[in-house]
Amino acid sequence: MIQADVIIIGGGAAGFFTAINAAENNPKLKIIILERGKEVLTKVKVSGGGRCNVTHAEFLPKELTQNYPRGEKELLGPFHTFMTGDTIAWFEKRGVELKIEEDGRMFPVSDSSQTIIDCFLSEAKRFGVEVLLNQAAKEIQKETDCFKITTTTDTFSAKKVVVATGSNPKIWQLLKDLGHKIIPAVPSLFTFNIKDSRIIDLPGISVIASVKVLLQPQFPPLGVRGLPLLITHWGMSGPAILKLSAWGARLLEPLKYHFKIEVNWLNDVSEEDILDSLKAMKSSQGKQTIYKYAQFELPKRLWQSLVKASGIAETLTWADATRENLQNLANQLTAGIFEVTGKSTFKEEFVTAGGVDLTEVNFKTFESRKVDGLYFAGEVLNIDAITGGFNFQNAWTGGYIVSQNLASPCPPKEGRDSVF
Ligand SMILES: Cc1cc2nc3c(=O)[nH]c(=O)nc-3n(C[C@H](O)[C@H](O)[C@H](O)COP(=O)(O)OP(=O)(O)OC[C@H]3O[C@@H](n4cnc5c(N)ncnc54)[C@H](O)[C@@H]3O)c2cc1C
């Protein structure tokens, strides 16, 4: 039996952040990270296309929470303790400078996720955190005043256990056995597959739009406004669609990703207002052909496609347009209906909604309300965010708060070979 003060299951972002901060907070603690793989921090490595989108330049806790379809309410308090500014300062203190990109995403100035990994590995080593590889936790048992954790090869005992295993169904089952409710996993953050003649030839075009998912009245409304919508080879993507996919993750899964959306290519301009503008064009630019000159600052090819879809001939002038022509065009511009027939993964970025039910966690400490001494950090919880650095921010915030609650050490016990 290998004894420690704290066992952290999972050598990913949340596990390392917890371990380093706990060890810094109390250097006397014997902390062991158990990692099932032969390497640690593998997701950090591939994150952000190899650049690691560490966090997002949003500095108000309330605003930051609005990027979490699951976790919005629960993260508000924790963000008052540790959020973006703290993340930046944490890395800066360790010689890792972060930069902000135009859209608010923050990366290491090196543009390499290895910088983050190197920082974590050297900090873990500096504070004496033991990292054990090829140690998949198979069993977690709560005994009177400690936990027994059985891995493929060893047995460990510790007073406090932090589960930081990401979205792992096997661990969720172990937590179920300990009395926790697990919200079943469904995909979040995906793009919409749409085969439609209006967009088939327009991949690469991006417009600020509003999009509504058309659902039966018994479902809550689902829509976004004022976000970039990107037409792709297979349908639609971009922040507007990704946000819908994250907020609609639970609603859209039972529909097997078959539903209709309504797109307003002019964002929040109403059909009536656009119809008035089109009528005004009929009087003011009667000789011009409708098809030839794009209006409302729409990309020309999108305008032409929507004009065609309205049944307007390429040669028709504004003067010759009928009321029906204008009505159809106003409708295509502001309320075009598209049929979604499936989903695709966004840039290999698999994010899963689901995990430990948030009502069973005390968010002042990230400790289980069911099992004393059991803590959670990162994606193991039913928390997920849209793309942009928010998922890692959840791991940093949770990890930091857990670390501050792992204070008291056990008496020194036998050691073990580690990767360092
Ligand atoms: C391709 C990709 C790119 C991404 N890019 C970004 C990005 O740029 N910015 C962002 O904010 N988010 C990004 N994300 C999401 C982000 O990576 C996750 O939210 C984050 O890694 C969650 O951290 P975690 O520590 O909770 O889980 P993980 O990083 O998944 O770590 C969990 C660790 O636990 C280990 N483990 C699991 N089960 C066991 C067990 N039984 N015993 C022992 N160990 C176990 C796993 O092997 C793993 O090492 C990306 C995701 C992917 C897939």
Side-chain angles (χ1 to χ4, degrees):
M1 176 93 74
I2 300 152
Q3 285 180 314
D5 296 308
V6 179
I7 296 281
I8 297 174
I9 310 177
F16 265 83
F17 209 73
T18 307
I20 294 164
N21 284 295
E24 186 174 25
N25 195 31
N26 185 349
K28 289 189 185 135
L29 286 180
K30 177 171 164 66
I31 301 175
I32 298 181
I33 295 180
L34 301 179
E35 167 55 47
R36 71 174 165 186
K38 57 182 190 324
E39 275 174 62
V40 290
L41 298 162
T42 50
K43 258 202 198 174
V44 171
K45 178 80 180 162
V46 297
S47 67
R51 295 198 297 143
C52 188
N53 180 189
V54 176
T55 186
H56 199 96
E58 172 55 72
F59 298 93
L60 299 171
K62 179 89 184 129
E63 303 292 316
L64 187 61
T65 60
Q66 283 164 20
N67 298 288
Y68 296 83
R70 286 145 293 271
E72 179 175 354
K73 184 166 63 83
E74 291 77 6
L75 284 174
L76 184 58
F79 282 157
H80 276 97
T81 302
F82 193 94
M83 62 172 277
T84 319
D86 307 296
T87 304
I88 298 167
W90 193 94
F91 281 103
E92 210 166 70
K93 191 174 152 198
R94 289 154 178 89
V96 177
E97 205 188 322
L98 304 182
K99 60 171 176 173
I100 308 177
E101 302 218 323
E102 254 178 42
D103 56 6
R105 290 179 305 156
M106 299 197 68
F107 295 87
V109 288
S110 64
D111 271 332
S112 167
S113 57
Q114 193 58 44
T115 308
I116 304 298
I117 295 174
D118 291 345
C119 168
F120 282 169
L121 292 179
S122 75
E123 286 295 276
K125 186 174 181 183
R126 180 160 77 102
F127 291 114
V129 173
E130 285 187 54
V131 182
L132 305 183
L133 304 176
N134 302 308
Q135 292 279 6
K138 299 281 180 203
E139 231 184 302
I140 307 172
Q141 282 167 290
K142 172 80 180 161
E143 303 192 329
T144 325
D145 64 345
C146 71
F147 290 87
K148 199 170 112 192
I149 292 152
T150 312
T151 67
T152 10
T153 52
D154 292 291
T155 309
F156 297 82
S157 129
K159 280 209 160 158
K160 296 191 173 175
V161 168
V162 184
V163 183
T165 45
S167 303
N168 179 343
K170 283 187 185 155
I171 282 285
W172 283 332
Q173 185 54 51
L174 299 187
L175 295 173
K176 250 189 192 172
D177 298 343
L178 284 171
H180 267 286
K181 184 174 167 203
I182 303 298
I183 307 297
V186 294
S188 181
L189 270 197
F190 47 84
T191 66
F192 294 173
N193 297 351
I194 299 170
K195 283 201 182 80
D196 189 291
S197 56
R198 286 168 289 180
I199 56 167
I200 199 121
D201 294 325
L202 307 180
I205 284 185
S206 173
V207 209
I208 303 292
S210 62
V211 186
K212 253 193 279 186
V213 177
L214 303 177
L215 293 164
Q216 302 296 320
Q218 71 266 27
F219 293 115
L222 182 59
V224 291
R225 308 170 87 90
L227 288 175
L229 184 162
L230 173 69
I231 300 173
T232 65
H233 285 286
W234 59 93
M236 292 183 190
S237 179
I241 300 301
L242 293 168
K243 192 164 184 182
L244 276 181
S245 80
W247 260 264
R250 294 234 161 257
L251 285 176
L252 303 179
E253 193 263 350
L255 304 177
K256 303 277 172 262
Y257 309 102
H258 281 71
F259 52 90
K260 289 186 175 140
I261 56 171
E262 185 183 294
V263 178
N264 184 338
W265 298 102
L266 302 175
N267 188 20
D268 48 8
V269 188
S270 72
E271 192 167 340
E272 294 74 40
D273 286 352
I274 283 300
L275 188 57
D276 287 345
S277 306
L278 296 178
K279 283 179 189 160
M281 286 171 190
K282 184 175 162 73
S283 335
S284 65
Q285 51 198 58
K287 286 188 184 148
Q288 254 183 29
T289 50
I290 300 175
Y291 181 79
K292 201 164 172 190
Y293 301 100
Q295 307 293 334
F296 311 114
E297 296 179 8
L298 280 180
K300 187 170 179 182
R301 288 190 303 136
L302 176 61
W303 167 260
Q304 292 183 334
S305 170
L306 296 176
V307 168
K308 257 193 195 166
S310 313
I312 294 173
E314 288 186 19
T315 51
L316 191 78
T317 61
W318 284 102
D320 292 335
T322 63
R323 190 184 157 74
E324 193 190 352
N325 288 146
L326 299 186
Q327 180 66 61
N328 287 347
L329 182 53
N331 181 265
Q332 282 297 333
L333 288 165
T334 59
I337 308 287
F338 292 82
E339 181 119 25
V340 178
T341 55
K343 65 170 177 58
S344 296
T345 305
F346 169 67
K347 289 191 193 163
E348 305 306 312
E349 193 168 323
F350 311 104
V351 172
T352 313
V356 175
D357 185 353
L358 304 185
T359 61
E360 297 181 345
V361 179
N362 172 0
F363 279 93
K364 288 202 171 79
T365 56
F366 282 67
E367 186 176 7
S368 160
R369 290 188 193 279
K370 296 266 167 192
V371 186
D372 288 350
L374 183 67
Y375 295 80
F376 304 105
E379 246 184 54
V380 67
L381 291 162
N382 182 29
I383 294 181
D384 62 275
I386 55 167
T387 184
F390 306 105
N391 282 301
F392 277 140
Q393 186 56 56
N394 168 47
W396 314 142
T397 297
Y400 180 82
I401 292 177
V402 170
S403 75
Q404 304 305 296
N405 289 283
L406 301 172
S408 49
C410 297
K413 297 273 164 55
E414 71 182 273
R416 165 150 189 106
D417 291 343
S418 77
V419 288
F420 299 125

